[in-house]
Amino acid sequence: MMQILDAQKEDQVPAIFRLAFRPLFLLGGGFSCLALMLWGGVLSGFIEFAPYGNVFFWHSHEMLFGFVGAIVVGFLLTAVQNWTGIPSIRGRRLALLCAIWLAARVLMLFSSSPSWLVISVDLLFLPLSGYFLAKPIIAIGQTRNLFFVPILVLLSATNLLMHLGITLNIPDLYQHGFISAIWLITLLMSVLGGRVIPFFTANGTQTEKVTPISGLEYLALGSTWAIFALYITGAVYYMSNIFIGSALVLCAATHVIRVLRWKMHLTLKVPLLWSLHAAYWFIPIGIALMGLSYLSDVITLSTAFHALTVGAMGNMILSMMSRVSLGHTGRQLIVKHLVICAFGAVLISALIRVFGVILFAEFSTALIIISIVSWCVAYGLFTLVYYPILTTPRADGRPG
């Protein structure tokens, strides 16, 4: 990383607030365990829980906008420093951003929280993050990466839709926001995956980087954009099941061809690589299952969504957090055995939640509980291993 920080000034900032990935990766990873333990307790009947909205809304909202939102912002506000050469937010501004995120999570826990307060606090996090992201990009005129700012704005819009669905008592509206958010994050993973996975694979395996095929890239990303547009505008609800199901299956096929070219078989000895490839595979799997849910009664839409959330998001986030946390703290890109176990645990969590539930539907509740436990093992191990890394200065003594 470029030397763009004043080491003396950096020493005055607590290590945890020196770059956005540090507090937000810890908060997001740890929070996902707590949120899923509460959800598992409700499903198993061990606890009664009455959060803001209702427990089903809370689960879907908090895993997307609490957990995923924190990690996406942590990643982008860290990457922007490398992209632009301009220091990203740190210190008090970063602490304030984290406090806003945390306040929203606390307010969402209680059904007595005033709607206006929950919505105001929760909706502030992503737009404010977008401002901090846009400022250095605009300053140097780097239009290529400005793409990520409207992504955060659109994600804020889907968050608003979910809140309006609860406030106006229109369940279809918050489900519309939820589905649109999943598609938007899937699109973001598709774009980022195409940028970094072939590059990381070439570096990690000492092989030539796979050259993208322009037509294939346009088909894969263009079809994903198009389907997101159909969902966010609501046009999808006026189309026949056969049309949208077929479009989803074709979109999945383009992603399969795309990821096949990235040579996963070369990465099996490198956990930081095979975990990324495995995560991306859940994108075409999830999209294809969504298509099948429209074309038949065998697959439920919920199961298909969980291929994208638990499968793609859960695996990709864990892999990227593990890599970014090592690279940006001046450490070698070699993960500990406990982290390899975490990669395995989150993969098992996804396989059980998707294919276990499909094959053994009569045991779905028990399988979902097992999947939750496996997720908590994975992200609990990440939090345990990376806490000292994220809360102490860089190992190489450089600022950041």
Side-chain angles (χ1 to χ4, degrees):
M1 185 175 69
M2 294 175 283
Q3 185 73 22
I4 57 178
L5 300 170
D6 186 316
Q8 190 172 5
K9 288 183 179 179
E10 189 75 355
D11 287 341
Q12 299 172 8
V13 179
I16 188 68
F17 292 121
R18 290 184 184 177
L19 266 177
F21 77 95
R22 290 175 174 269
L24 289 171
F25 284 6
L26 271 182
L27 288 169
F31 172 73
S32 76
C33 295
L34 294 173
L36 284 179
M37 283 190 284
L38 277 173
W39 176 239
V42 171
L43 288 180
S44 59
F46 285 144
I47 64 171
E48 291 185 6
F49 178 45
Y52 169 82
N54 59 64
V55 71
F56 295 100
F57 167 83
W58 177 86
H59 168 64
S60 56
H61 180 277
E62 290 301 86
M63 290 307 293
L64 282 177
F65 296 100
F67 164 59
V68 177
I71 307 306
V72 167
V73 168
F75 175 80
L76 291 176
L77 289 183
T78 299
V80 73
Q81 181 165 288
N82 281 359
W83 295 340
T84 63
I86 298 174
S88 185
I89 64 164
R90 57 201 355 92
R92 282 180 288 187
R93 287 190 301 168
L94 178 55
L96 174 62
L97 189 66
C98 293
I100 292 169
W101 177 89
L102 187 58
R105 308 288 70 80
V106 172
L107 288 168
M108 292 281 296
L109 286 171
F110 304 101
S111 59
S112 58
S113 298
S115 294
W116 66 268
L117 182 59
V118 175
I119 295 172
S120 299
V121 175
D122 189 47
L123 287 180
L124 182 58
F125 177 71
L126 287 172
L128 185 58
S129 301
Y131 167 76
F132 289 135
L133 179 65
K135 195 174 178 181
I137 293 174
I138 292 172
I140 66 165
Q142 195 180 68
T143 55
R144 180 173 184 253
N145 289 316
L146 197 59
F147 156 83
F148 296 103
V149 177
I151 290 287
L152 292 182
V153 173
L154 285 170
L155 199 56
S156 300
T158 61
N159 190 10
L160 177 60
L161 287 174
M162 288 194 73
H163 280 293
L164 289 176
I166 284 296
T167 304
L168 302 175
N169 194 26
I170 307 175
D172 286 348
L173 187 57
Y174 80 68
Q175 181 155 334
H176 174 57
F178 167 66
I179 295 171
S180 299
I182 290 176
W183 263 105
L184 185 58
I185 296 166
T186 299
L187 175 62
L188 179 61
M189 290 189 296
S190 301
V191 172
L192 287 174
R195 286 191 183 187
V196 304
I197 295 176
F199 175 73
F200 289 163
T201 299
N203 285 356
T205 60
Q206 300 300 301
T207 57
E208 187 177 352
K209 180 178 176 289
V210 174
T211 304
I213 300 172
S214 298
L216 177 61
E217 295 297 300
Y218 283 124
L219 275 175
L221 297 179
S223 59
T224 310
W225 262 115
I227 293 171
F228 165 69
L230 293 179
Y231 274 100
I232 191 68
T233 61
V236 69
Y237 305 116
Y238 300 95
M239 295 179 174
S240 70
N241 284 354
I242 292 177
F243 177 83
I244 191 63
S246 300
L248 286 162
V249 171
L250 289 173
C251 176
T254 63
H255 283 279
V256 167
I257 298 169
R258 192 184 193 214
V259 70
L260 277 173
R261 299 186 68 251
W262 296 343
K263 302 177 182 177
M264 181 179 179
H265 64 279
L266 299 176
T267 70
L268 300 181
K269 294 183 179 179
V270 187
L272 279 174
L273 292 178
W274 67 250
S275 57
L276 273 178
H277 282 261
Y280 196 95
W281 267 105
F282 274 99
I283 292 177
I285 288 171
I287 296 173
L289 289 176
M290 280 186 68
L292 292 176
S293 75
Y294 282 95
L295 299 173
S296 72
D297 296 327
V298 176
I299 307 296
T300 67
L301 201 54
S302 174
T303 298
F305 286 155
H306 280 88
L308 295 173
T309 53
V310 182
M313 296 178 203
N315 282 275
M316 190 171 289
I317 283 173
L318 188 63
S319 184
M320 287 298 292
M321 285 199 304
S322 300
R323 185 184 193 94
V324 169
S325 298
L326 292 174
H328 281 276
T329 57
R331 290 170 169 82
Q332 287 186 305
L333 298 178
I334 301 173
V335 291
K336 296 183 178 181
H337 291 298
L338 285 178
V339 177
I340 299 174
C341 291
F343 291 162
V346 76
L347 182 57
I348 289 169
S349 175
L351 292 172
I352 291 173
R353 181 60 185 85
V354 178
F355 296 106
V357 169
I358 291 173
L359 295 172
F360 306 100
E362 65 272 28
F363 303 110
S364 59
T365 300
L367 289 169
I368 291 170
I369 298 299
I370 295 170
S371 175
I372 287 172
V373 170
S374 190
W375 175 291
C376 290
V377 168
Y379 277 85
L381 286 173
F382 170 83
T383 305
L384 177 69
V385 171
Y386 280 87
Y387 179 83
I389 293 173
L390 295 171
T391 56
T392 55
R394 286 175 60 104
D396 57 8
R398 295 171 63 186

